[in-house]
Every structure is written in structure tokens, then in C-alpha cells.
Amino acid sequence: MKKQKKFILQEKEIPTQWYNIQADMVNKPLPPIHPATKQPLTWEDLAHIFPAECSRQELDTEHRWIDIPEEVLEKYKFYRSTPLVRAYELEKALDTPAHIYFKNESVNPLGSHKINSALPQCYYAKMEGTTNVTTETGAGQWGAALAYAAKVFGLEAAVYQVKISMQQKPYRSSIMRTFGAVVTGSPSMSTRAGKDILTVNPKHSGSLGTAISEAVELAMTTPNCKYTLGSVLNHVGLHQTIIGLEAEKQMAMAGEYPDMVIACFGGGSNFGGIAFPFMRHSILDGKKTEFIAAEPESCPKLTRGVFQYDFGDEAGLTPLLPMYTLGHQFKPANIHAGGLRYHGAGVIISQLIKDKMMHGVDIPQLESFDAGMLFARTEGIIPAPESCHAIAATIREALKCKESGEEKVILFNLSGHGLIDMTAYDQYIDGDLQNYSIPDAEIAKNVAELEPIIK
Ligand SMILES: *Cc1c(COP(=O)(O)O)cnc(C)c1O
């Protein structure tokens, strides 16, 4: 039989609805609550900072399928479907009987999956009469996607970029500015939150937490301005299900169904995006797929965090969210996978972990780059440092299959390419990268500061 490597959908086969897993979850996620009153928030509350439609989607536990607006679908078709690829060369290098597939979300002009949610968020903001959007960005993929989507729908974008990432990846700021966004390194002196953080620690190198604080503050103090987020929240994961819904059709073209679905994990959007459509069959049809989220060893909220209400940002301006968290004051090491340096997991994911529908694994930085190098040298694609974590977890599983002789079908999401991250690869090749493990005491100290709302 002729080997087929790549599976692509015709334009008319591209899904026209997103999948809302909240409708099918046995235990629904706990609601976000107001930090002062501890009362559950309504979508109207959330709509003070987010677009109204995103706020409704955030709390929607009812509608399983949500129509993708025509205008968004049209923009999706610029780069979708994305290819599903059988990684024959990687399989050969690992000498594994496993069948390894990856969904390639790096093949759009912005280079990561983030664009899948940036487009609908900007579309809804525009439809609702918003003129400006703000956001935070770590490594810069979300900021780049948002800057582009804002331009597409005629909005002004202000982006707070984590300062350390801005220094590590200067080209991402250039990309955002090319699309017309105003980019500021966080923590900055331009907001109250930024000033407070710098007063305590003038050398603070920034985190997603600090950047979120600043972007939320700007949105709250600017008329006609909405805040957008590229991960963590339910509506972001919802938009990303386009990945898994396509992959489901493409796996069927390949005549297979995954035994394992793997993705790297920052706040959970690309993981949820690829996993939820398959998890639907685990919930409804009794499929036995294993779902693995690969997080960095230096930011292990899934495996070593606590399940508790916590803030989404460092300054404590957001609603309280029920999540697996290392505490919002947790300062992750400056690993190159900037998009994975976040202290908490999304609300849906946190509930799914609690319900043992999925689990996390911790990947040391060096192992992630070992994996990325092997992938580059076999499949010819240089993966984003974040995506390297998914590849490392995949390689672990493929090697277990080699041991046991099992011919498992593994599907992982390649969330982005690493072409703007070549300094990281240079440092790896020169032997200048290191692992960062965290002592239990440090985690314990941070989570001890959380108010114990979930007993
Ligand atoms: C942002 C990002 C991630 C992490 O975010 P999730 O919401 O967990 O998906 C992973 N990979 C890439 C390439 C990213 O840009």
C-alpha cells in the first residue's frame, strides 16, 4: 500500500461550528467568582472587560455546538484546514511501532494556533462597537495573532509583552508593530499595576501574570476598549476546537483513531483545542483515549499545583477562577517556552483533571529541546519551544511502545513553529541551556497564600 503522509480537508469539509465540551461534561466547572463578594459572576459581569459574545460563551454549559460566524470562517479559510501529518521519519528514528500523527498548526502567517481565537475575539469586539483591544503576550505569539486580527477587523491593539520575552524574542515585537499594534514591555510604568509591581521589585522580568494585570487595567480605564486573552479561558478553548474537529475528520481519512492525544500546556487552549472533540467520544461513546498535557518541569501546575480559587493575574485584578494553580505570585524560571510560563490551568481543564479524564506530565527544558532537535532533523520543521514539550511527551510514549511492542496511535498538536525562537536553539546547541526544577517548599509557600475557598 502506498504510504500517505499528509491529510488535508477540502474547503467545504472545514467544520462550521465549534464544540463546547461544557455541555457534555459530567461535572460542570465551578463558576468564576467575585473576589470581594465571592458571588458567582454572570456573563454580564464578564462583559465589562470581555466582548459580550465571548462572555456568554465563557459560561455556556448548554449549547454543545456553536456556529462559527461567517466572517470568521472566511478568514479561517485563508489558512485552514491545517495538515494532519503522519510522522514516518520520526517513527523510524525512534524505531517505534507506534503510529505518530501531528496536527500542524504552525502553517499560518502568524506561526501558531493563537490566530484561531484572535479572529473571533476581534470579530465579536468589532460587531459590538468596540474600537480598541488590549492584551498581554508572553513569547509574543498571542500578541502577534491579536495584532493581525485587530487589523483585519479594523481595531486598534495595545499589547503588553512580558519583558523577558521581549528581550529574548525581539522579532515578535517587530511583527506586532508591523501589524500596527502598540507594544509595551511589562511590568511597565504605564499602569498602576505595573508601577506597584516595579516598586516592590524594580528588576522584575515580567510574567504573563504582570502583563495581564496591565492589559486588564488599560481596558477598564479606556472607553470602548475590551480586553482579550489568548489562553486559559473557556471561550478561547472553544474557538480552538476547530483544531480537533478537523483532526477528527483527518484521522478518519487516515483510517485510524487516536489511543493518545498529546499537546503542550500553558493555559490549555491548544490542548483543549485538539483534545475536546476526541474527549467527546470518551464521554459519550466510551472511547478509551488517553489525554496527556505536557507542561514544563519549571511550571508544574497540573502535577504539583493545588485545586483552588485563584486570580488569573499577578496583581489580583481578575475574577477568581477555580483552577489547578501554583499561586498567582509564582514566578516561573525564564525558560524559552514563554507561552508555558503561566501559574494556572484553565477552568474546564482543571475540572477534567479532577475527574481523571486527562493528566499532566512534566518535561525538563533540555528534554524538550532534545525532542525539538530530533523532530526538526526528521520531519524538517523547527518547532516552537512550547511545542517541543508535546513532542517530548510523544517521544516518551513512543519509546514505551517500543518496549512493549504496542502499535498505539498517538496524535499530538504542533502548536507553532520556532523560527522566531532561534536564539533558544543556538543556546541549546552551544550547551548554554539548563533545567529548572522547583523545590516543594517553594510551591507550598506560594499556594499557602491562597484564600482556601474550596475546602
Ligand atoms: C501560547 C502558546 C502555547 C501555550 O498556550 P496554550 O493556551 O496552553 O495552548 C503553546 N504553543 C504555542 C506555539 C503558543 O504560542
Side-chain angles (χ1 to χ4, degrees), residues 137-145 161 165 169 172-173 175-176 339 386:
T137 194
Q141 287 103 325
W142 170 246
Q161 183 172 16
S165 300
K169 294 160 200 210
R172 282 257 165 61
S173 316
I175 293 172
M176 291 183 254
E386 291 85 358

Side-chain angles (χ1 to χ4, degrees), residues 206-408:
S207 67
L208 284 172
T210 66
I212 293 173
S213 301
E214 295 201 85
V216 169
E217 182 181 324
L218 188 66
M220 291 197 300
T221 54
T222 311
N224 279 324
C225 180
K226 285 286 152 78
Y227 169 67
T228 65
L229 192 59
S231 182
V232 184
L233 294 177
N234 300 342
H235 66 270
V236 185
L238 170 74
H239 304 152
Q240 294 296 351
T241 59
I242 188 78
I243 303 173
L245 293 166
E246 281 185 5
E248 195 185 335
K249 292 187 174 191
Q250 290 164 310
M251 288 300 297
M253 287 165 78
E256 305 220 67
Y257 191 88
D259 297 306
M260 295 183 155
V261 176
I262 298 175
C264 66
F265 197 97
S269 79
N270 93 93
F271 176 86
I274 193 150
F276 292 168
F278 291 100
M279 211 178 274
R280 173 173 163 249
H281 297 295
S282 302
I283 299 171
L284 302 179
D285 316 327
K287 287 270 192 206
K288 295 274 182 280
T289 304
E290 194 177 339
F291 297 93
I292 304 175
E295 63 181 1
E297 179 190 34
S298 55
C299 196
K301 63 247 179 190
L302 301 177
T303 56
R304 296 168 69 193
V306 295
F307 184 68
Q308 188 52 272
Y309 272 98
D310 194 7
F311 292 104
D313 68 321
E314 184 145 342
L317 293 176
T318 69
L320 285 168
L321 301 171
M323 55 189 189
Y324 276 91
T325 178
L326 296 166
H328 61 281
Q329 303 275 352
F330 180 78
K331 285 175 197 57
N334 293 333
I335 55 166
H336 280 277
L340 307 187
R341 295 176 72 236
Y342 185 69
H343 65 273
V347 167
I348 292 176
I349 302 278
S350 294
Q351 187 62 47
L352 293 171
I353 290 202
K354 218 163 168 285
D355 293 343
K356 303 205 166 19
M357 294 294 295
M358 56 171 285
H359 65 97
V361 290
D362 295 344
I363 307 288
Q365 175 158 263
L366 290 177
E367 183 182 342
S368 75
F369 278 95
D370 291 342
M373 293 290 284
L374 179 64
F375 187 77
R377 289 174 182 191
T378 50
E379 297 296 323
I381 301 168
I382 297 178
E386 291 85 358
S387 315
C388 290
H389 291 72
I391 300 171
T394 299
I395 290 175
R396 282 188 190 179
E397 295 302 328
L399 292 177
K400 281 186 208 160
C401 290
K402 182 180 174 180
E403 287 281 304
S404 65
E406 282 174 293
E407 214 174 272
K408 286 193 179 165

